[in-house]
Amino acid sequence: MAAARLPGALQAGMMGATGQFVPVVHGALPWIQAFRAWLVALIKLLVWAALFKAGAALADEQDESALSLADQTPTAAAHASNWRTFVEGAYGGATLPDGNQEQQNHRSSFDLLYDKSLAAGWRAVFADRLDMNWPAQVSDQNSINTIKDAYLSWQEQANRIFDLGRINVHNGVAIGYNPTDYFRSGAVRSIVSVDPASLKENRQGSVMLRGQTLWAGGSITALYSPKLADQASNDGFNPDWGATNHQNRWLVAVSQKFSAGISPEFLVYKENDLPVQLGFNLTGLVSDSMVAYVEWSGGSSPSLLSQALSQLALPHTDDVAFRNRLSSGLTYTTANKMSLTAELEYGGGGLDQAGWDALARGSPLIYEQYRNSLQIAQEAPTKRAVFFYGLWQDALINHLDLSALERIDAVDYSRMSWLEARYHLDRAEFALQWQRNSGQRVSDFGAAPQLQSWQVVLRYYF
């Protein structure tokens, strides 16, 4: 089943907990040995990235030399690199729910982006991330490779573009939960942070053909994503077509800016196993410092519990009905670069109080399967949640960013808290992250594999 491919860190339960950035650890290494192994891996990764960057620079230099021979003009335009690469190392620990046992973990990552114009109207994009975790995050796979983007783009006209390949598409205007982000299911392979922006960026794209036409203040986008495999793969270096392309899907999105403060978008989405789903996004200026947004998706579908049980061929109720999914919030920005967001979230396919309590008292197998399937889909197990997010740029001193996140399950009142301090240099970033899950043992966040976790992160750009 697809649930077997989930990182242990995803066993917390709700969509927002798709981000236990500390993986489940069974039999942690002594911290000295773990730190030594992490340091050796990071050094190897730095050498690898340096060699890779040198090769890319040489290729760019050869391209420039060829162009200079073809055009012997006395002036030379500044050249922006087609590559963006960085290495990242993280070391941290976690406290288990019993509050006694401590665990250590470490990670080394290599991230690259290649974006180059090949000829007039043609462009190639490739984005990839390799995460090496100790202990392993998925099954016995220490290394997990994620192909985020790999596509060819053709600009037929100034206002018309076609893309073909693997594309990380994410729709929606909400911050914490995106009902219209239809291509998120199965996309996350490796968790490095619970920050919603990280979860959207560091995931694999779906193979598709996409076309877009632009006009003044608006656009229409249509895409088709075919079925390529039946099920997901646990192999860390497998392209994992079955996770993102296990059925035929299509999407049409139309947007139009009506004024400086009103920008709606309408979506129609269809996949093999569900009737047509409708979507709507709207942002509007409440004042010079406040933005309101609403994101909605609705359509006939079974409950999330029925979908989970059908994956195991277990008896389940045929409860297809029209279900609404909604996320609405306000973002307030201050003059000193502080941004505060409050968001209300509703998932019509999730469980209410009675259903969630009954599930917790029932079969452990069904309870586990339900949670696992929702982690793959990045959906909430219950119907209602509250989300708060804050970002303060240049906080207290220049180049220091502070971020905070609080997600509360409004059905069982469990919660997940996350803090990050990140300091930026020209080519490097240093971050300290802390996370805590609280609630009853079988609640949304109380069932997380770690009670509390922390990690320090170092990132270097080439």
Side-chain angles (χ1 to χ4, degrees):
M1 297 298 295
R5 63 181 287 275
L6 281 172
L10 293 184
Q11 304 303 318
M14 158 174 195
M15 183 281 302
T18 305
Q20 300 299 319
F21 62 77
V22 179
V24 174
V25 180
H26 301 284
L29 298 172
W31 74 270
I32 296 178
Q33 182 180 356
F35 182 75
R36 185 187 298 117
W38 169 78
L39 188 60
V40 171
L42 182 59
I43 292 173
K44 290 181 179 178
L45 201 58
L46 284 167
V47 173
W48 176 30
L51 293 174
F52 182 87
K53 186 64 175 180
L58 179 60
D60 286 344
E61 182 179 348
Q62 290 173 343
D63 288 345
E64 290 179 349
S65 299
L67 290 173
S68 65
L69 291 175
D71 184 12
Q72 297 292 339
T73 56
T75 58
H79 175 70
S81 175
N82 301 306
W83 300 86
R84 186 210 69 177
T85 59
F86 67 81
V87 293
E88 187 173 81
Y91 181 80
T95 303
L96 294 184
D98 59 16
N100 296 320
Q101 186 176 352
E102 297 287 336
Q103 300 172 332
Q104 287 79 40
N105 66 89
H106 46 288
R107 170 180 57 82
S108 298
S109 302
F110 178 50
D111 190 293
L112 70 87
L113 169 64
Y114 176 74
D115 189 339
K116 182 176 177 61
S117 295
L118 304 177
W122 291 91
R123 171 171 162 253
V125 178
F126 179 74
D128 188 86
R129 183 182 179 99
L130 174 64
D131 293 309
M132 294 177 285
N133 300 278
W134 293 271
Q137 217 186 67
V138 180
S139 300
D140 295 324
Q141 301 291 317
N142 290 98
S143 299
I144 303 173
N145 191 74
T146 301
I147 303 175
K148 296 187 286 187
D149 288 295
Y151 65 91
L152 187 65
S153 181
W154 175 42
Q155 188 170 3
E156 180 195 10
Q157 300 177 10
N159 66 334
R160 188 171 300 160
I161 304 171
F162 294 95
D163 303 315
L164 176 63
R166 194 159 205 174
I167 307 172
N168 181 9
V169 173
H170 40 81
N171 298 101
V173 295
I175 307 299
Y177 170 55
N178 295 109
T180 64
D181 188 11
Y182 299 112
F183 287 84
R184 69 178 178 271
S185 180
V188 175
R189 300 201 84 196
S190 177
I191 305 301
V192 295
S193 172
V194 297
D195 190 327
S198 174
L199 293 173
K200 294 172 186 176
E201 178 186 357
N202 297 315
R203 70 187 196 188
Q204 56 192 357
S206 300
V207 177
M208 65 179 65
L209 172 64
R210 179 176 66 180
Q212 185 176 40
T213 298
L214 310 174
W215 59 82
S219 68
I220 180 170
T221 301
L223 61 86
Y224 175 74
S225 179
K227 177 180 178 179
L228 298 178
D230 290 324
Q231 60 184 10
S233 171
N234 283 331
D235 187 341
F237 285 93
N238 190 290
D240 207 7
W241 312 118
T244 58
N245 290 81
H246 57 279
Q247 59 182 319
N248 299 317
R249 299 183 288 177
W250 59 261
L251 171 72
V252 176
V254 180
S255 64
Q256 179 62 57
K257 184 177 181 180
F258 289 130
S259 67
I262 304 296
S263 302
E265 181 185 41
F266 303 88
L267 304 96
V268 181
Y269 170 77
K270 178 70 173 69
E271 63 183 51
N272 280 359
D273 298 337
L274 288 177
V276 169
Q277 305 292 300
L278 303 177
F280 176 70
N281 288 291
L282 178 66
T283 59
L285 289 175
V286 178
S287 67
D288 291 340
S289 57
M290 182 175 291
V291 176
Y293 60 83
V294 59
E295 181 175 346
W296 168 85
S297 179
S300 296
S301 65
S303 67
L304 295 176
L305 180 58
S306 293
Q307 294 180 50
L309 295 178
S310 66
Q311 294 178 10
L312 285 181
L314 294 174
H316 59 279
T317 304
D318 184 11
D319 56 0
V320 175
F322 192 93
R323 303 183 188 278
N324 294 288
R325 294 169 291 279
L326 179 69
S327 188
S328 181
L330 294 170
T331 297
Y332 179 77
T333 303
T334 67
N336 62 342
K337 300 182 181 180
M338 183 181 295
S339 177
L340 303 173
T341 297
E343 182 176 290
L344 298 177
E345 303 168 353
Y346 176 80
L351 295 173
D352 57 15
Q353 181 72 64
W356 186 231
D357 291 343
L359 184 69
R361 294 192 301 266
S363 166
L365 174 64
I366 294 178
Y367 177 80
E368 180 180 3
Q369 172 62 18
Y370 181 61
R371 297 179 69 92
N372 286 350
S373 66
L374 295 189
Q375 292 303 330
I376 296 174
Q378 296 189 66
E379 284 284 357
T382 60
K383 287 185 179 293
R384 299 182 304 278
V386 182
F387 173 82
F388 299 100
Y389 186 80
L391 171 62
W392 188 6
Q393 295 178 307
D394 293 330
L396 306 177
I397 59 175
N398 288 336
H399 310 300
L400 175 65
D401 295 345
L402 301 179
S403 303
L405 181 156
E406 183 85 5
R407 188 179 292 278
I408 304 171
D409 188 307
V411 171
D412 63 21
Y413 300 104
S414 62
R415 63 178 58 201
M416 184 263 288
S417 305
W418 176 80
L419 299 173
E420 180 190 76
R422 183 175 293 266
Y423 188 76
H424 303 266
L425 297 173
D426 288 342
R427 288 184 172 270
E429 294 179 3
F430 302 89
L432 174 62
Q433 298 173 345
W434 171 87
Q435 182 176 332
R436 182 176 178 83
N437 301 293
S438 58
Q440 296 183 359
R441 190 66 188 95
V442 291
S443 64
D444 187 0
F445 295 108
Q450 296 92 24
L451 173 66
Q452 185 169 274
S453 51
W454 63 271
Q455 66 174 357
V456 291
V457 181
L458 167 63
R459 175 183 295 184
Y460 184 80
Y461 292 90
F462 290 89

